[in-house]
Each structure stands twice: as C-alpha cells, then as structure tokens.
Amino acid sequence: MKFFTKEVQIACVAILALVVLYFGLNFLKGLSVFSNSNSYYVAFNDVSGLSASSPVYANGFKVGVVKGINYDYQQPERIVAVVELNKEMRLPVGSHAEISSDLLGNIKINLILAQHPQGFVAVGDTIPGNVELGMMAKVAAMVPAIEAMMPKLDSILTSLNVLLADPALQQTLHNVEGMTANLNKTSADLRLLSARLGHDVPSMMVKADSVLGNTQRLTANLSTIDVEAMTAKVNQTLANVEEMTRKLNSNEGTLGLLMRDATLYKNLTTTVADADSLVRDLKAHPKRYVHFSVFGKKDK
C-alpha cells in the first residue's frame, strides 16, 4: 500500500495552501513573517479608525506596523495597541505616539521621538499615546465660532444689498467710466506727444549743437582779447574822467570858473539881459540904428 495516496496528497496540498494563505495575509497586512522586529505597547484612550496592520511612522518614515489592539474591559479608558518596530529602531525615553489620518481617511501612528533622551525604552515597555486632531476635528471646533459670526455676516450682507441698490453708487460707477475714458484720451495724447518729441528732438539737438558751436567760437574770441590792455585803457579813461571832474569842481580853467565863479555868472546874466533889452529896442525902433536912403544922405 502506497503512503502518498490521493487523500494524503490532497491533505498536503491543503496544508501547504493554508500556510501560504497565512503568510500571504500577514505579508499583505504588512506584518513581518519572521521574527525581525521588536514589540512595544502604546496606551490610548481612543483608537477610532486604528486597526491591525496600520502603519507606524517616525519622522515620516515607516518603521513598523500595528500587530494588534487589546481592549481592557476592566479599564475601558485604557486601550493598548501592540506595535512591531524594526529591530534597528530604538525609542528614546520620553517619546509618545499619535494617531493621525490624512485627507483620504488613512489611519496611521506617528512616533514623536524625544529630542534629548536620557535613555531608551526597553523592548516590551509601554509608551503613552493620543489622537491628533485631524482636519475635520479642527473644522468641528470652529463651528461654534462660525455660528456666532452668522448674525454679523447677515447684517453685513443686508448692508451690502442696500449699498448696491443705492442710485448714488450707479452714478459713481458712471463717473468712473467717464474718468476711464478721459484717462484713455490722455494716454493717447501722451503717446502722440511722445511721437512728436521723438520727431522734433533730433532737429532740436542739431540746433543745440549749433548754439554750442557758436558759444565755443565766442569763448575762443573772448579768449583772444587782451583783457589786461583793455583794463589799462579803461583805467586810463576813468582817470581822465576823474581829472576832468576834479577840474570842473575847482577854479581851474574856463569851465571851472563858469561853474564856480559867482561874479562871472552875474556878469554873464547882466550881459544877456542887456543884449535882450537891446534886441527888443531894435525891434521897436529900428530907425534909430539903421539909416538908409536911395538919394543919398540928408542933413538933419
């Protein structure tokens, strides 16, 4: 009788399938098949969403998985999660864990490692844990503040509707439209002015160069003038004028005597008066001074 009968073969295949299924499920769950990890315990008050095979991260890197969750019926506020961490991973004393979730609802455990440890947690020891407030929890915490703001928002919307219905606002918008049109016209005028300047500036520069050339020639001519000789002549002329003025103010010369001698002035005045009297008498009695006869002189 053969040992490997059909029934034994079927049993062996079934056992092998069960073994493969067991290791496959553990592999899919992320659980290590062979003993290459250390087990630690994390105490929580609430493990909402956490389950076996949930990943465990440290500083954003996966270092283990949740092996299982134990509920203490004697202490309902204490729920212990068993986590398997890589043997190379050592927990500093003072570290703790947080349950967090992403926007897709995936639950994970984040290990918050102590910065200045005094030692390391022994394998099999328990560390504290808590639940990180997710996005929805934060939104829920903001709901009371939002509810308190609703009356103010309603009042603001009412005031905004009244403002929008005000005809003055429409008039203001109309004025703004007119101002925009004026600004567009001003911009067009500025562009036209800029074009004209671009056309006229070269000719202006040519004229400026011509004026500059004339100025340079004038400067050159001025530089050729003998300023020292001219200054000497001017000084000599001023000296002559000063000498003439001095003589006029003194009794020297005819002009000085005329200006300074009162007797001469009186004599001249008397002479002029006599001449004037003589001219008047001549006009009044010309026969006294002029004797004219066609036939010769008669005896008186």
Side-chain angles (χ1 to χ4, degrees):
M1 183 178 180
K2 295 182 179 181
F3 178 76
F4 290 102
T5 61
K6 184 181 291 186
E7 290 79 4
V8 173
Q9 292 177 0
I10 294 173
C12 290
V13 171
I15 293 172
L16 181 61
L18 291 174
V19 171
V20 172
L21 178 62
Y22 172 77
F23 286 107
L25 290 176
N26 286 335
F27 177 77
L28 293 175
K29 291 180 179 179
L31 300 176
S32 58
V33 177
F34 302 100
S35 179
N36 60 350
S37 59
N38 294 326
S39 296
Y40 294 88
Y41 299 92
V42 184
F44 294 100
N45 293 329
D46 186 358
V47 290
S48 298
L50 187 66
S51 61
S53 74
S54 294
V56 179
Y57 290 87
N59 298 327
F61 183 78
K62 184 179 178 181
V63 294
V65 295
V66 177
K67 185 176 181 180
I69 300 176
N70 300 324
Y71 184 78
D72 191 348
Y73 291 93
Q74 302 299 325
Q75 298 179 354
E77 72 281 357
R78 180 181 173 84
I79 305 173
V80 179
V82 182
V83 297
E84 287 189 349
L85 304 180
N86 191 290
K87 286 185 177 181
E88 300 296 330
M89 182 66 193
R90 303 183 67 185
L91 295 179
V93 175
S95 302
H96 66 280
E98 289 183 350
I99 298 176
S100 63
S101 61
D102 55 21
L103 296 177
L104 298 178
N106 298 320
I107 306 299
K108 62 182 178 180
I109 291 180
N110 287 324
L111 295 176
I112 310 301
L113 304 179
Q115 297 297 324
H116 303 285
Q118 301 297 325
F120 296 96
V121 178
V123 177
D125 281 354
T126 302
I127 62 174
N130 54 50
V131 179
E132 181 185 15
L133 292 178
M135 184 65 67
M136 297 304 297
K138 294 179 180 179
V139 172
M142 294 173 60
V143 168
I146 295 175
E147 291 179 348
M149 293 173 58
M150 290 304 296
K152 296 181 180 180
L153 291 176
D154 184 62
S155 176
I156 293 173
L157 290 176
T158 302
S159 301
L160 183 60
N161 291 330
V162 173
L163 178 62
L164 293 176
D166 191 353
L169 180 59
Q170 299 179 358
Q171 183 64 32
T172 301
L173 294 176
H174 180 71
N175 294 336
V176 170
E177 183 179 359
M179 293 172 61
T180 303
N182 293 333
L183 288 175
N184 291 333
K185 185 177 182 302
T186 303
S187 178
D189 295 339
L190 288 175
R191 288 196 296 269
L192 180 60
L193 178 60
S194 177
R196 290 180 178 176
L197 288 176
H199 180 269
D200 296 339
V201 163
S203 61
M204 293 173 62
M205 292 300 295
V206 172
K207 294 180 180 179
D209 292 338
S210 177
V211 172
L212 182 60
N214 294 334
T215 303
Q216 292 176 348
R217 285 194 295 271
L218 177 61
T219 304
N221 293 333
L222 290 175
S223 63
T224 59
I225 296 175
D226 190 355
V227 177
E228 185 176 357
M230 181 179 291
T231 304
K233 292 180 180 179
V234 171
N235 292 334
Q236 183 64 33
T237 303
L238 292 176
N240 294 335
V241 172
E242 183 178 0
E243 180 66 19
M244 183 178 65
T245 303
R246 186 186 64 78
K247 290 181 178 181
L248 288 176
N249 291 329
S250 65
N251 293 329
E252 299 177 1
T254 304
L255 290 178
L257 291 174
L258 288 175
M259 295 179 64
R260 306 286 294 180
D261 192 351
T263 303
L264 180 59
Y265 171 77
K266 292 179 181 180
N267 293 334
L268 286 175
T269 302
T270 302
T271 302
V272 170
D274 293 342
D276 181 68
S277 176
L278 177 61
V279 170
R280 284 198 300 270
D281 186 68
L282 179 61
K283 289 181 179 180
H285 307 284
K287 293 181 178 182
R288 294 181 181 178
Y289 304 95
V290 179
H291 301 279
F292 179 78
S293 176
V294 179
F295 300 102
K297 185 178 177 181
K298 295 182 178 181
D299 295 332
K300 294 183 179 180

PDB file of all heavy atoms in Angstrom, residues 43 51 56 61 69 100 105 114-115 152 170 217 225 228 252 264:
ATOM      1  N   ALA A  43      -0.441  52.986  24.878  1.00  0.00           N
ATOM      2  CA  ALA A  43      -1.719  53.102  25.585  1.00  0.00           C
ATOM      3  C   ALA A  43      -2.482  54.313  25.057  1.00  0.00           C
ATOM      4  O   ALA A  43      -1.952  55.433  25.030  1.00  0.00           O
ATOM      5  CB  ALA A  43      -1.484  53.236  27.090  1.00  0.00           C
ATOM      6  N   SER A  51      -6.502  50.050  13.360  1.00  0.00           N
ATOM      7  CA  SER A  51      -6.724  48.607  13.241  1.00  0.00           C
ATOM      8  C   SER A  51      -5.384  47.925  13.070  1.00  0.00           C
ATOM      9  O   SER A  51      -4.339  48.571  12.885  1.00  0.00           O
ATOM     10  CB  SER A  51      -7.638  48.287  12.048  1.00  0.00           C
ATOM     11  OG  SER A  51      -7.034  48.732  10.844  1.00  0.00           O
ATOM     12  N   VAL A  56       3.145  52.385  11.086  1.00  0.00           N
ATOM     13  CA  VAL A  56       3.739  53.205  12.138  1.00  0.00           C
ATOM     14  C   VAL A  56       4.903  53.969  11.511  1.00  0.00           C
ATOM     15  O   VAL A  56       5.771  53.369  10.854  1.00  0.00           O
ATOM     16  CB  VAL A  56       4.225  52.348  13.321  1.00  0.00           C
ATOM     17  CG1 VAL A  56       4.859  53.229  14.396  1.00  0.00           C
ATOM     18  CG2 VAL A  56       3.077  51.531  13.899  1.00  0.00           C
ATOM     19  N   PHE A  61       8.957  58.313   8.095  1.00  0.00           N
ATOM     20  CA  PHE A  61       9.452  57.051   7.525  1.00  0.00           C
ATOM     21  C   PHE A  61       8.784  55.880   8.234  1.00  0.00           C
ATOM     22  O   PHE A  61       8.685  55.845   9.466  1.00  0.00           O
ATOM     23  CB  PHE A  61      10.974  56.964   7.688  1.00  0.00           C
ATOM     24  CG  PHE A  61      11.585  55.749   7.077  1.00  0.00           C
ATOM     25  CD1 PHE A  61      11.781  55.681   5.703  1.00  0.00           C
ATOM     26  CD2 PHE A  61      11.949  54.658   7.861  1.00  0.00           C
ATOM     27  CE1 PHE A  61      12.358  54.561   5.127  1.00  0.00           C
ATOM     28  CE2 PHE A  61      12.517  53.541   7.289  1.00  0.00           C
ATOM     29  CZ  PHE A  61      12.721  53.479   5.923  1.00  0.00           C
ATOM     30  N   ILE A  69      -4.669  45.074  18.704  1.00  0.00           N
ATOM     31  CA  ILE A  69      -5.216  46.036  19.659  1.00  0.00           C
ATOM     32  C   ILE A  69      -5.902  45.254  20.767  1.00  0.00           C
ATOM     33  O   ILE A  69      -6.757  44.381  20.501  1.00  0.00           O
ATOM     34  CB  ILE A  69      -6.219  46.985  18.975  1.00  0.00           C
ATOM     35  CG1 ILE A  69      -5.526  47.762  17.846  1.00  0.00           C
ATOM     36  CG2 ILE A  69      -6.822  47.956  19.995  1.00  0.00           C
ATOM     37  CD1 ILE A  69      -6.454  48.650  17.056  1.00  0.00           C
ATOM     38  N   SER A 100      -3.092  59.620  13.674  1.00  0.00           N
ATOM     39  CA  SER A 100      -3.445  60.683  12.737  1.00  0.00           C
ATOM     40  C   SER A 100      -4.037  60.066  11.480  1.00  0.00           C
ATOM     41  O   SER A 100      -3.907  58.865  11.229  1.00  0.00           O
ATOM     42  CB  SER A 100      -2.207  61.525  12.388  1.00  0.00           C
ATOM     43  OG  SER A 100      -1.242  60.728  11.731  1.00  0.00           O
ATOM     44  N   GLY A 105      -8.529  59.590   4.645  1.00  0.00           N
ATOM     45  CA  GLY A 105      -9.045  58.787   5.749  1.00  0.00           C
ATOM     46  C   GLY A 105      -8.140  57.651   6.164  1.00  0.00           C
ATOM     47  O   GLY A 105      -8.567  56.799   6.971  1.00  0.00           O
ATOM     48  N   ALA A 114      11.588  61.765  21.516  1.00  0.00           N
ATOM     49  CA  ALA A 114      12.134  62.764  22.430  1.00  0.00           C
ATOM     50  C   ALA A 114      13.423  63.335  21.844  1.00  0.00           C
ATOM     51  O   ALA A 114      14.213  62.624  21.214  1.00  0.00           O
ATOM     52  CB  ALA A 114      12.389  62.148  23.808  1.00  0.00           C
ATOM     53  N   GLN A 115      13.627  64.650  22.062  1.00  0.00           N
ATOM     54  CA  GLN A 115      14.784  65.324  21.479  1.00  0.00           C
ATOM     55  C   GLN A 115      16.058  65.097  22.281  1.00  0.00           C
ATOM     56  O   GLN A 115      17.131  64.956  21.708  1.00  0.00           O
ATOM     57  CB  GLN A 115      14.483  66.828  21.366  1.00  0.00           C
ATOM     58  CG  GLN A 115      13.324  67.142  20.432  1.00  0.00           C
ATOM     59  CD  GLN A 115      13.620  66.726  19.007  1.00  0.00           C
ATOM     60  OE1 GLN A 115      14.739  66.827  18.526  1.00  0.00           O
ATOM     61  NE2 GLN A 115      12.583  66.238  18.319  1.00  0.00           N
ATOM     62  N   LYS A 152     -23.642  88.491  12.292  1.00  0.00           N
ATOM     63  CA  LYS A 152     -22.865  89.614  11.766  1.00  0.00           C
ATOM     64  C   LYS A 152     -22.752  89.531  10.250  1.00  0.00           C
ATOM     65  O   LYS A 152     -22.859  90.548   9.554  1.00  0.00           O
ATOM     66  CB  LYS A 152     -21.476  89.621  12.398  1.00  0.00           C
ATOM     67  CG  LYS A 152     -21.491  89.859  13.913  1.00  0.00           C
ATOM     68  CD  LYS A 152     -20.096  89.881  14.472  1.00  0.00           C
ATOM     69  CE  LYS A 152     -20.111  90.115  15.974  1.00  0.00           C
ATOM     70  NZ  LYS A 152     -18.753  90.133  16.557  1.00  0.00           N
ATOM     71  N   GLN A 170     -24.477 103.738  -8.573  1.00  0.00           N
ATOM     72  CA  GLN A 170     -24.519 103.641 -10.035  1.00  0.00           C
ATOM     73  C   GLN A 170     -23.973 104.907 -10.682  1.00  0.00           C
ATOM     74  O   GLN A 170     -23.243 104.845 -11.683  1.00  0.00           O
ATOM     75  CB  GLN A 170     -25.953 103.380 -10.488  1.00  0.00           C
ATOM     76  CG  GLN A 170     -26.536 102.070  -9.960  1.00  0.00           C
ATOM     77  CD  GLN A 170     -27.968 101.857 -10.406  1.00  0.00           C
ATOM     78  OE1 GLN A 170     -28.541 102.710 -11.095  1.00  0.00           O
ATOM     79  NE2 GLN A 170     -28.546 100.724 -10.026  1.00  0.00           N
ATOM     80  N   ARG A 217      32.872 129.269 -30.223  1.00  0.00           N
ATOM     81  CA  ARG A 217      33.617 130.266 -31.008  1.00  0.00           C
ATOM     82  C   ARG A 217      33.680 131.592 -30.265  1.00  0.00           C
ATOM     83  O   ARG A 217      34.716 132.281 -30.273  1.00  0.00           O
ATOM     84  CB  ARG A 217      32.944 130.442 -32.373  1.00  0.00           C
ATOM     85  CG  ARG A 217      33.204 129.268 -33.319  1.00  0.00           C
ATOM     86  CD  ARG A 217      32.809 129.634 -34.751  1.00  0.00           C
ATOM     87  NE  ARG A 217      31.388 129.860 -34.856  1.00  0.00           N
ATOM     88  CZ  ARG A 217      30.497 128.899 -35.122  1.00  0.00           C
ATOM     89  NH1 ARG A 217      30.910 127.638 -35.267  1.00  0.00           N
ATOM     90  NH2 ARG A 217      29.227 129.188 -35.238  1.00  0.00           N
ATOM     91  N   ILE A 225      41.043 138.209 -26.651  1.00  0.00           N
ATOM     92  CA  ILE A 225      41.059 139.628 -26.280  1.00  0.00           C
ATOM     93  C   ILE A 225      42.105 139.858 -25.195  1.00  0.00           C
ATOM     94  O   ILE A 225      42.192 139.089 -24.222  1.00  0.00           O
ATOM     95  CB  ILE A 225      39.669 140.081 -25.813  1.00  0.00           C
ATOM     96  CG1 ILE A 225      38.666 139.972 -26.970  1.00  0.00           C
ATOM     97  CG2 ILE A 225      39.704 141.508 -25.289  1.00  0.00           C
ATOM     98  CD1 ILE A 225      37.242 140.289 -26.576  1.00  0.00           C
ATOM     99  N   GLU A 228      44.098 142.546 -20.230  1.00  0.00           N
ATOM    100  CA  GLU A 228      44.960 143.413 -19.430  1.00  0.00           C
ATOM    101  C   GLU A 228      45.090 144.789 -20.067  1.00  0.00           C
ATOM    102  O   GLU A 228      44.983 145.818 -19.397  1.00  0.00           O
ATOM    103  CB  GLU A 228      46.324 142.750 -19.281  1.00  0.00           C
ATOM    104  CG  GLU A 228      47.271 143.518 -18.366  1.00  0.00           C
ATOM    105  CD  GLU A 228      48.578 142.779 -18.163  1.00  0.00           C
ATOM    106  OE1 GLU A 228      48.694 141.649 -18.695  1.00  0.00           O
ATOM    107  OE2 GLU A 228      49.467 143.328 -17.484  1.00  0.00           O
ATOM    108  N   GLU A 252      40.033 176.021 -11.705  1.00  0.00           N
ATOM    109  CA  GLU A 252      40.956 175.970 -12.817  1.00  0.00           C
ATOM    110  C   GLU A 252      40.196 175.842 -14.123  1.00  0.00           C
ATOM    111  O   GLU A 252      39.250 175.091 -14.233  1.00  0.00           O
ATOM    112  CB  GLU A 252      41.910 174.778 -12.661  1.00  0.00           C
ATOM    113  CG  GLU A 252      42.769 174.843 -11.406  1.00  0.00           C
ATOM    114  CD  GLU A 252      43.631 173.613 -11.260  1.00  0.00           C
ATOM    115  OE1 GLU A 252      43.562 172.740 -12.162  1.00  0.00           O
ATOM    116  OE2 GLU A 252      44.340 173.499 -10.244  1.00  0.00           O
ATOM    117  N   LEU A 264      31.331 186.004 -12.196  1.00  0.00           N
ATOM    118  CA  LEU A 264      31.265 185.784 -13.639  1.00  0.00           C
ATOM    119  C   LEU A 264      29.861 185.396 -14.056  1.00  0.00           C
ATOM    120  O   LEU A 264      29.345 185.832 -15.082  1.00  0.00           O
ATOM    121  CB  LEU A 264      32.275 184.711 -14.050  1.00  0.00           C
ATOM    122  CG  LEU A 264      32.322 184.371 -15.544  1.00  0.00           C
ATOM    123  CD1 LEU A 264      32.672 185.628 -16.373  1.00  0.00           C
ATOM    124  CD2 LEU A 264      33.334 183.261 -15.811  1.00  0.00           C
TER     125      LEU A 264
END
